[in-house]
Amino acid sequence: MPEQVLLEIGLALAIVAFAGILAARFRISIVPLLILAGMVVGPHAPVIGILDFRFIKSAPLIDFMGRVGILFLLFSLGLEFSVGRLLKAGRSILVGGSIYMAINFTLGMVLPIIWGWPLRETLVVAGLISISSSAIVAKVLVDLKRTARPETEMILGLMLFQDVFVAVYLSIISGLVLTGSASPPSVLKSTSLALGFMLGLILAGRKLAPLINRLFNVPSDEVFMLMVFAFLTLVAGFSETIHVAEAIGALLVGLILAETDHLDRIEHIVVPFRDFFGALFFFSFGLSIDPLTLGGAVGPVLVAVAATLIGNFLAGIIAGRMAGYSYRGCTNIGLTITPRGEFSIILANLAKTGGLLPVLQPFAALYVLLLAILGPLLTKESKWIYSQLARIFGWPALKETNKPRRSV
């Protein structure tokens, strides 16, 4: 291990802990504070004595621990559901996901066309605007204790739907940006792999549930923990090798293990790891944003953020109502899926590699930053936001139940 890495890790944890103290003191989500804390330090920060706030030597390790944090966040979210519940909601998720992508992707195409940006840049921006951050959404749902709410099933389904879209879109956009062409066989292969892997794992999990129950029926908590973590990382790692987001692999493992008799035992073990590594993910996310470069795209970013907020809200209302949720539940859907994150950064890096307009780098960074901060804050205040909208549109008062309507 390089010299001073341990000291830098300790310093990073101290900053993360301080952000947690502030969040608890002011009763706000810790996510925005962790991202801002990461931005304040980083390569542009000073060295004060033996304290190196640049985190240059420890950056790879912090980034890796952040990736582990994504796995635990999505795994923990999957434990709150089950494969059976997800399959029952399949039609609603397909319809809702199509509506969500149609609205947001259209907005993502229209805006850069209005700004006069070239086609490849337009396609990159469309991807940036269309995809939510699974990690931030999962963290917000856990922090606000909303995993048991009925509409969270739709939110979870939308995240899975988006991952299939990502598999297809990334294949297309990488071909267009890097080579100027996108091979139809390559696109078909990516789509088939993503869908086949997710459906295959879900169905296998259901069929093998009795076997999984027996395998994990071990008395030692230490061995049990190692088995759970091995299962989680192996599936997530395999997901990554076939170009399905490792976070979705972790989510699917959670869905599978939620069907076993060991759910309470798993949750008891996982929660401390989820909170620890999850906090480091958001801190490392902030480290990846250079605040000195954010001034180059303020105007377009503000327009894009406003359009995203409106588009997400409309998509949440339309998709939620079609699935039978109350207006309150629809409002929660529209606000919760607002944050943008990891996929947007991937697209921005792809654009840089392909030599596209330099403005895409500060555009992506500032756009992600604002929505990563606004998303959790708006979701936390969803009750107040709904009450204001209810007065304007004549929606039912908050006493309305949030369960889907039954078909008649």
Side-chain angles (χ1 to χ4, degrees):
M1 183 179 292
E3 187 181 354
Q4 286 195 320
V5 167
L6 189 59
L7 179 60
E8 288 187 13
I9 294 296
L11 182 59
L13 292 176
I15 294 172
V16 167
F18 181 68
I21 292 171
L22 289 179
R25 173 68 178 82
F26 295 103
R27 296 182 180 179
I28 60 176
S29 171
I30 193 176
V31 172
L33 293 183
L34 290 172
I35 295 173
L36 289 173
M39 287 181 59
V40 170
V41 296
H44 55 276
V47 178
I48 304 175
I50 62 171
L51 301 180
D52 190 347
F53 289 91
R54 299 172 302 172
F55 294 101
I56 294 174
K57 295 177 181 177
S58 60
L61 182 56
I62 293 174
D63 180 66
F64 173 76
M65 290 193 290
R67 291 182 62 189
V68 174
I70 297 177
L71 300 187
F72 279 115
L73 284 169
L74 272 295
F75 175 64
S76 181
L77 183 60
L79 290 173
E80 300 291 338
F81 295 87
S82 67
V83 173
R85 282 181 60 187
L86 197 64
L87 291 176
K88 287 180 182 178
R91 183 181 178 278
S92 297
I93 290 169
L94 181 62
V95 173
S98 300
I99 292 170
Y100 175 84
M101 294 308 305
I103 292 175
N104 285 278
F105 190 80
T106 301
L107 287 172
M109 289 291 293
V110 168
L111 290 178
I113 289 174
I114 293 174
W115 299 330
W117 291 6
L119 176 61
R120 291 193 298 172
E121 283 78 354
T122 297
L123 291 171
V124 169
V125 172
L128 284 170
I129 288 177
S130 300
I131 305 299
S132 306
S133 168
S134 299
I136 297 178
V137 169
K139 177 65 173 173
V140 170
L141 289 172
V142 170
D143 284 353
L144 298 180
K145 296 179 174 59
R146 294 188 181 179
T147 54
R149 293 186 67 91
E151 68 271 9
T152 302
E153 189 174 273
M154 171 66 79
I155 294 170
L156 181 66
L158 287 176
M159 287 159 50
L160 290 172
F161 187 95
Q162 287 183 41
D163 194 64
V164 176
F165 177 84
V166 165
V168 178
Y169 198 70
L170 201 54
S171 176
I172 296 173
I173 203 69
S174 59
L176 288 173
V177 170
L178 299 179
T179 68
S181 64
S183 166
S186 175
V187 174
L188 182 61
K189 179 182 177 183
S190 298
T191 308
S192 302
L193 267 177
L195 281 172
F197 172 71
M198 287 190 283
L199 289 176
L201 192 59
I202 286 173
L203 294 176
R206 293 208 81 184
K207 293 292 185 182
L208 300 176
L211 176 61
I212 295 172
N213 259 326
R214 290 196 300 271
L215 286 175
F216 283 87
N217 188 24
V218 294
S220 169
D221 285 341
E222 180 183 2
V223 175
F224 180 78
M225 179 186 70
L226 291 173
M227 291 176 65
V228 170
F229 289 1
F231 186 27
L232 169 61
T233 52
L234 281 172
V235 173
F238 181 73
S239 302
E240 186 182 27
T241 62
I242 61 172
H243 305 294
V244 175
E246 65 265 32
I248 296 301
L251 177 65
L252 294 174
V253 172
L255 289 170
I256 291 170
L257 293 182
E259 301 240 335
T260 69
D261 298 331
H262 308 291
L263 177 59
D264 292 339
R265 192 179 181 190
I266 295 171
E267 288 181 328
H268 177 72
I269 289 174
V270 165
V271 168
F273 290 92
R274 178 199 70 195
D275 293 343
F276 176 79
F277 287 104
L280 284 172
F281 164 72
F282 296 108
F283 178 74
S284 68
F285 183 71
L287 280 177
S288 69
I289 299 176
D290 185 356
L292 302 179
T293 66
L294 298 182
V298 174
V301 166
L302 293 179
V303 173
V305 167
T308 301
L309 293 175
I310 295 170
N312 271 258
F313 185 76
L314 287 176
I317 293 293
I318 297 171
R321 291 302 288 173
M322 290 186 69
Y325 291 101
S326 68
Y327 282 108
R328 172 74 192 283
C330 296
T331 300
N332 287 341
I333 293 171
L335 295 176
T336 304
I337 57 179
T338 296
R340 299 296 188 263
E342 49 275 15
F343 180 66
S344 300
I345 299 300
I346 291 171
L347 278 180
N349 290 335
L350 185 65
K352 183 178 181 180
T353 303
L356 302 190
L357 292 177
V359 71
L360 286 176
Q361 303 305 306
F363 176 90
L366 185 57
Y367 174 76
V368 167
L369 172 65
L370 291 178
L371 287 177
I373 293 173
L374 284 174
L377 294 177
L378 291 173
T379 305
K380 182 176 182 292
E381 299 299 329
S382 62
K383 183 176 180 180
W384 180 85
I385 292 172
Y386 173 79
S387 65
Q388 302 306 307
L389 292 172
R391 293 175 185 174
I392 297 172
F393 297 109
W395 293 345
L398 286 173
K399 64 181 180 180
E400 177 191 18
T401 60
N402 216 20
K403 295 181 179 179
R405 300 186 304 269
R406 291 186 179 272
S407 301
V408 293

